Amino acid sequence: MIFANHAHVFPEDIKPVGSIDNLKRLMDDCGIDKCVCFAPFPDRFEESSRTDTPNEWLAKAIKNDPDLYGFGTVDFTKDLRDEVDRIADFGFKGIKMHPPYQEFDIDGEDAFKVYERAEELGLFISFHCGMHWHRLKGVRPILYDEVGWFFPKLRFSLEHLGGYHFFNESLAVMCNNSRGDVHPRVFAGWTSVSDRDGKDEWTLTNEQLETIVFQTDDESSIFGLDFPFKDADYINYEIERYRSLNISDEAKINTLGGTLKKVLGV
């Protein structure tokens, strides 16, 4: 079974290509059985005439689909503990956070309020990890070590694992947080890291992917789609690439769904 993380989904009136129907078609084309869907960030709804919130929309949209699991997003203009509580009340398994896009510092006071409540409620966090055309000072991947240090029971993934520019920093965070009662708790998000079209800002080589497994363990990596920004051809290429890596069969099975299933308890 392939259980994928990291699908950005949208109402059709906001981003038709990112509709849930299109996600389901891509899952069929790629042999993906289950998937985690991220609610849109609040600004996408503010730009539209919709009266619901992104989390409300996602909860309703996937309510009767046994193959889709929701992650909420946080509106930083509102009470942050209440925002996290509502995410849990919707039955979502986690939170998607994007420091550069949402313009918050990884180790900032507001972000720490979110981490604290997520840790208390047992919610998983998928972080964007790497550059994204925003000031790097407050969003460098090394700052995720502060998250691991102050919230030792919080489990989270570093999506893209820093990409081409910050791979070593991100791997250092994983290795530095490999001890303690909750392990593994910092996961590598194998999302949009293809080498298919040469080296772009997100590319990781086969050697780097193998190094993640060798320096951490067979249960610390999670496959992600980055739907709708990556198409079926791209994703099928990556699935076959991961299956060809010089890592154990157990690591391949876990990366393509076993770890995510265990982490989310589904």
Side-chain angles (χ1 to χ4, degrees):
M1 182 186 78
I2 297 181
F3 185 7
N5 191 30
H6 206 127
H8 300 272
V9 291
F10 302 85
E12 290 196 11
D13 60 288
I14 290 180
K15 193 176 184 72
V17 70
S19 70
I20 289 176
D21 285 344
N22 280 337
L23 172 62
K24 297 289 285 191
R25 279 189 281 271
L26 180 139
M27 291 170 64
D28 288 341
D29 291 343
C30 298
I32 294 168
D33 302 277
K34 296 181 182 294
C35 187
V36 168
C37 301
F38 296 159
F41 292 114
D43 67 307
R44 299 306 301 269
F45 273 44
E46 292 168 4
E47 297 167 356
S48 74
S49 59
R50 299 187 68 94
T51 58
D52 53 355
T53 69
N55 293 331
E56 289 170 343
W57 168 78
L58 181 62
K60 183 177 180 180
I62 66 173
K63 182 177 180 180
N64 297 315
D65 194 318
D67 298 327
L68 300 180
Y69 298 85
F71 273 29
T73 55
V74 171
D75 185 339
F76 276 86
T77 68
K78 298 180 179 178
D79 184 282
L80 295 173
R81 286 181 65 88
D82 286 349
E83 283 284 284
V84 179
D85 285 345
R86 280 193 285 271
I87 287 171
D89 289 343
F90 281 126
F92 293 157
K93 297 292 184 179
I95 307 171
K96 166 63 175 178
M97 300 186 71
H98 197 313
Y101 183 85
Q102 294 180 280
E103 298 187 349
F104 68 86
D105 289 346
I106 292 167
D107 61 343
E109 182 179 350
D110 285 343
F112 269 43
K113 293 177 184 177
V114 176
Y115 311 152
E116 179 181 39
R117 190 58 178 152
E119 183 182 51
E120 292 170 352
L121 296 175
L123 295 174
F124 189 87
I125 300 180
S126 281
F127 287 107
H128 173 90
C129 179
M131 58 85 59
H132 201 271
W133 305 279
H134 181 68
R135 188 180 184 189
L136 291 173
K137 181 177 182 292
V139 301
R140 283 192 63 171
I142 197 68
L143 293 174
Y144 288 115
D145 189 60
E146 296 295 288
V147 183
W149 178 265
F150 286 103
F151 304 95
K153 294 184 179 180
L154 180 67
R155 296 170 301 168
F156 57 94
S157 65
L158 303 180
E159 298 297 298
H160 321 294
L161 209 76
Y164 184 86
H165 310 98
F166 290 110
F167 170 78
N168 288 337
E169 277 194 14
S170 306
L171 182 58
V173 172
M174 291 186 68
C175 293
N176 197 46
N177 287 276
S178 61
R179 297 179 180 178
D181 295 336
V182 181
H183 176 70
R185 60 194 178 92
V186 183
F187 299 82
W190 292 20
T191 303
S192 289
V193 295
S194 181
D195 64 349
R196 184 183 67 164
D197 301 318
K199 291 183 174 63
D200 63 17
E201 56 264 43
W202 304 114
T203 298
L204 298 183
T205 66
N206 287 359
E207 181 181 4
Q208 287 173 313
L209 295 175
E210 291 165 357
T211 298
I212 294 169
V213 177
F214 297 151
Q215 291 198 13
T216 59
D217 56 40
D218 289 348
E219 299 182 335
S220 293
S221 296
I222 296 173
F223 165 55
L225 303 180
D226 217 1
F227 171 87
F229 308 107
K230 303 302 179 185
D231 62 18
D233 287 343
Y234 181 103
I235 292 164
N236 278 321
Y237 173 88
E238 284 300 277
I239 290 171
E240 292 309 310
R241 178 191 181 203
Y242 301 157
R243 286 173 169 160
S244 72
L245 292 174
N246 183 26
I247 57 178
S248 71
D249 288 342
E250 183 178 3
K252 295 174 185 178
I253 291 169
N254 287 334
T255 298
L256 289 171
T259 291
L260 186 59
K261 183 175 185 292
K262 182 177 179 180
V263 166
L264 300 185
V266 299

